[in-house]
Amino acid sequence: MTASIQIFDTTLRDGEQSPGASMTREEKLRMALQLEKLKVDVIEAGFPIASVGDFEGVKLVARTIKGPQVAGLARASAADIDRAWTALKPAGDRARIHTFIATSDIHMKHKLRMSREEVLAATARAVAHARNLTANVEFSAEDATRTELPFLARVLETAIGAGAAVVNIPDTVGYTLPSEFQRIIHYLRENVPNIHRAVISVHCHNDLGLAVANSLAAVEAGARQVECTVNGIGERAGNCSLEELVMALRTRNDLMPFQTGIDTRQIMASSKLLFSLTGMMVQPNKAVVGENAFAHEAGIHQHGVLKEKSTYEIMTPESVGLSSNNLVLGKHSGRHAFRERLVHLGYALDEAQLDKVFGRFKSLADRKKKIYDEDLDALVLEELGPNKKRYKLIQMSVTSGSFAAPTATLEMRVDGKVRKTAVIGVGPVDATYKAVTQLTGSNPRLKHFMLAALTRGTDAQGDCTVRLEIDGRMVVGHGVHSDIIVASAKAFIDALNRYAAIEERMKVTY
Ligand code: KIV
Ligand code: ZN
């Protein structure tokens, strides 16, 4: 019999805590629906007491999602737990309260200013309080891997004694090594007398690039729930990457006979959707979901793969939802072929969305002969982006070159009103950005700007990603167009819209 590993997805909570990854309520729901398709066991939807927006997001996910359990994070206090429960209640018996407290000396002394005995008492109180609301209680010992082991064992024994069904061992600062983490899990299994009454979970951060390795090591040592995020997003260097963990378990089932319930064919669609919602790029060489993960450039590799796939391919592109079919669409392609292609790429659009994207496809096909999958991704993702936009680019033109002063002329809709301006800059992007800031009345700092070709060929669309700092908050924006300056303007405006949506979300009342 192969043991099952529960996949606890925290993309919408720990993932969302990474700079620039904030999502609106509706975006969270869209991602949660995709996680449901991916068949994760638990969706951690947010930290309800952290903000009104987070509370609303968790509530919406709890009300809508029908398959996976829905978890909400709460510190070890009655107020936090009650707030989480109010948001989670609509999920009924699939609602999970996830409460935590730090247990390492360094956190207890400098952050909590609590003694060990006080932390033990708070653990017992918090878990018992949550247990009065639901039997589905998870307890996390924050910074567990830097906690003195006999004390960690006492904390877990207390949590299980008070009713925790799952005990989570976070490597909060991504400090542990695989062999060390295995020893910690073994130690806990041997030294927590009631450990058999709870599921052991692990939650690894990637500061040393070891989150997946540490999680796998923990599974070998007896952990049966792994906490992870799509594309490995998360605080600092991120969390354990869901797709890497799941594909490692699947590919090396000979050495690690464990199964997950994940529908791996939904991996690419999940990765792409997250990118579109947050604008957080996936590095091209990222395992499993990176653009190059299945590209065999070197002649010797191509030759081998063409003769016999298994020479260089340890998993198939189809198994993660990547199509092997490089069918190219063009201006004569009909709605039927277009729809088929989108379904193949993992997109499920309703008729109204399909109509809009098909219209955009036709106008792109007038400008560009061959439409590749990457172009389709960009079209769909633009359509799926936030609906209520404060700022919209109506039209623009730019003059630049080696003798003319770079000038951008822009027409935008700002809060429903049409505004126009013409601005001179150091270069065409500078002129464009100055025009946008003038029309929108915003004053962001451009922290990062990246331009790439979306596909091959000189007629490829430009793919621009920007990162802006506005009032101390990072926002990412993304824009695609066959003119690279228009792509840059769209990316800038996209980031401003995301910021506006986040600001709006903070105002929601309940
Ligand atoms: O990294 C961490 O310790 C956490 C806990 C709240 C589970 O995210
Ligand atoms: Zn974490």
Side-chain angles (χ1 to χ4, degrees):
M1 271 255 298
T2 53
S4 287
I5 304 300
Q6 301 278 299
I7 299 296
F8 176 113
D9 181 276
T10 183
T11 307
L12 299 178
R13 199 276 299 169
D14 222 349
E16 210 227 4
Q17 278 171 229
S18 43
S22 292
M23 286 177 243
T24 62
R25 218 164 65 115
E26 291 70 25
E27 288 169 337
K28 273 195 167 190
L29 179 62
R30 202 172 288 150
M31 191 65 211
L33 289 166
Q34 178 57 36
L35 293 172
E36 186 173 39
K37 278 198 198 159
L38 184 62
K39 295 200 164 60
V40 303
D41 298 286
V42 185
I43 296 173
E44 186 165 51
F47 191 176
I49 206 159
S51 72
V52 173
D54 240 29
F55 176 87
E56 292 291 336
V58 174
K59 199 159 109 183
L60 186 62
V61 171
R63 208 168 50 214
T64 318
I65 293 298
K66 295 289 171 258
Q69 295 179 39
V70 180
L73 189 67
R75 285 166 301 191
S77 83
D80 269 47
I81 292 169
D82 291 342
R83 188 89 176 118
W85 183 240
T86 311
L88 290 166
K89 241 187 320 198
D93 57 5
R94 288 175 300 98
R96 175 182 296 190
I97 297 175
H98 178 192
T99 185
F100 75 100
I101 193 164
T103 53
S104 64
D105 286 339
I106 189 165
H107 274 231
M108 288 188 296
K109 182 168 171 214
H110 298 290
K111 189 177 84 171
L112 298 178
R113 295 180 199 281
M114 284 167 83
S115 69
R116 288 186 172 187
E117 293 313 312
E118 283 168 333
V119 164
L120 280 170
T123 301
R125 260 196 321 271
V127 175
H129 187 80
R131 186 67 181 76
N132 275 335
L133 303 168
T134 171
N136 196 351
V137 178
E138 171 169 338
F139 170 79
S140 283
E142 192 188 6
D143 206 17
T145 52
R146 293 194 300 171
T147 299
E148 193 209 42
L149 286 180
F151 178 62
L152 181 60
R154 279 179 69 201
V155 174
L156 297 188
E157 183 183 353
T158 304
I160 298 168
V166 179
V167 283
N168 187 34
I169 322 297
D171 182 27
T172 303
V173 290
Y175 178 71
T176 201
L177 298 178
S179 54
E180 178 189 38
F181 203 31
Q182 251 178 1
R183 279 197 300 277
I184 293 175
I185 305 295
H186 280 305
Y187 177 90
L188 295 173
R189 290 184 70 192
E190 274 157 26
N191 291 280
V192 178
N194 51 5
I195 196 78
H196 57 280
R197 284 173 28 201
V199 172
I200 300 178
S201 167
V202 289
H203 173 113
C204 297
H205 280 266
N206 205 29
D207 300 66
L208 294 173
L210 291 170
V212 175
N214 286 334
S215 304
L216 289 170
V219 166
E220 282 184 313
R224 291 294 174 263
Q225 175 179 284
V226 178
E227 303 198 352
C228 41
T229 60
V230 173
N231 296 344
I233 69 164
E235 290 232 76
R236 305 180 309 278
N239 287 58
C240 170
S241 140
L242 182 148
E243 57 280 356
E244 292 177 23
L245 179 101
V246 168
M247 290 314 287
L249 287 175
R250 184 179 147 136
T251 307
R252 296 313 311 271
N253 205 250
D254 53 333
L255 291 183
M256 296 198 67
F258 301 98
Q259 63 183 36
T260 70
I262 295 295
D263 179 353
T264 61
R265 290 161 311 171
Q266 290 293 332
I267 283 178
M268 278 315 293
S270 309
S271 166
K272 284 178 185 172
L273 179 63
L274 183 64
F275 165 56
S276 79
L277 295 175
T278 62
M280 289 191 73
M281 304 268 288
V282 173
Q283 75 201 53
N285 60 327
K286 160 101 171 57
V288 186
V289 291
E291 193 187 329
N292 299 346
F294 292 93
H296 300 275
E297 283 283 348
I300 189 166
H301 287 200
Q302 279 185 354
H303 185 69
V305 171
L306 285 176
K307 273 194 154 165
E308 168 53 49
K309 284 191 169 180
S310 58
T311 44
Y312 286 99
E313 217 170 71
I314 58 165
M315 52 193 160
T316 65
E318 292 79 11
S319 65
V320 300
L322 240 184
S323 103
S324 59
N325 177 355
N326 285 328
L327 196 76
V328 176
L329 299 180
K331 71 172 172 190
H332 299 298
S333 306
R335 196 182 144 95
H336 183 71
F338 179 73
R339 179 208 290 269
E340 291 282 287
R341 196 72 202 141
L342 293 190
V343 170
H344 198 82
L345 292 174
Y347 296 113
L349 303 189
D350 60 34
E351 286 304 314
Q353 287 172 325
L354 191 76
D355 278 346
K356 281 200 196 143
V357 184
F358 188 60
R360 287 178 199 238
F361 162 73
K362 282 289 178 189
S363 77
L364 179 62
D366 278 339
R367 281 179 277 139
K368 192 171 185 287
K369 224 160 132 197
K370 292 179 177 171
I371 309 282
Y372 297 96
D373 289 347
E374 293 86 339
D375 294 310
L376 295 181
D377 285 338
L379 287 176
V380 174
L381 300 177
E382 200 167 310
E383 173 53 33
L384 292 183
N387 298 326
K388 250 177 64 191
K389 291 180 178 156
R390 264 190 90 180
Y391 312 116
K392 193 169 184 326
L393 177 66
I394 301 173
Q395 53 184 346
M396 66 178 285
S397 84
V398 176
T399 50
S400 67
S402 55
F403 60 90
T407 310
T409 309
L410 258 82
E411 186 175 328
M412 287 184 68
R413 191 178 298 280
V414 177
D415 291 329
K417 292 201 182 80
V418 175
R419 294 188 188 168
K420 284 184 198 169
T421 191
V423 177
I424 293 177
V426 177
V429 173
D430 184 51
T432 302
Y433 280 20
K434 281 185 173 137
V436 174
T437 48
Q438 199 182 89
L439 293 179
T440 56
S442 55
N443 191 20
R445 287 175 59 190
L446 179 64
K447 302 295 277 188
H448 173 85
F449 175 89
M450 205 180 86
L451 197 54
L454 194 58
T455 57
R456 53 213 115 143
T458 49
D459 69 344
Q461 298 199 84
D463 180 354
C464 182
T465 302
V466 298
R467 192 178 274 257
L468 306 182
E469 191 185 314
I470 310 175
D471 294 337
R473 184 187 277 274
M474 286 295 191
V475 270
V476 178
H478 191 66
V480 174
H481 198 271
S482 47
D483 180 306
I484 55 172
I485 306 300
V486 179
S488 311
K490 288 175 102 178
F492 195 54
I493 294 168
D494 183 45
L496 294 179
N497 274 321
R498 281 177 198 277
Y499 181 72
I502 292 164
E503 259 195 326
E504 193 57 33
R505 169 180 148 187
M506 296 302 170
K507 281 193 232 143
V508 182
T509 47
Y510 50 92

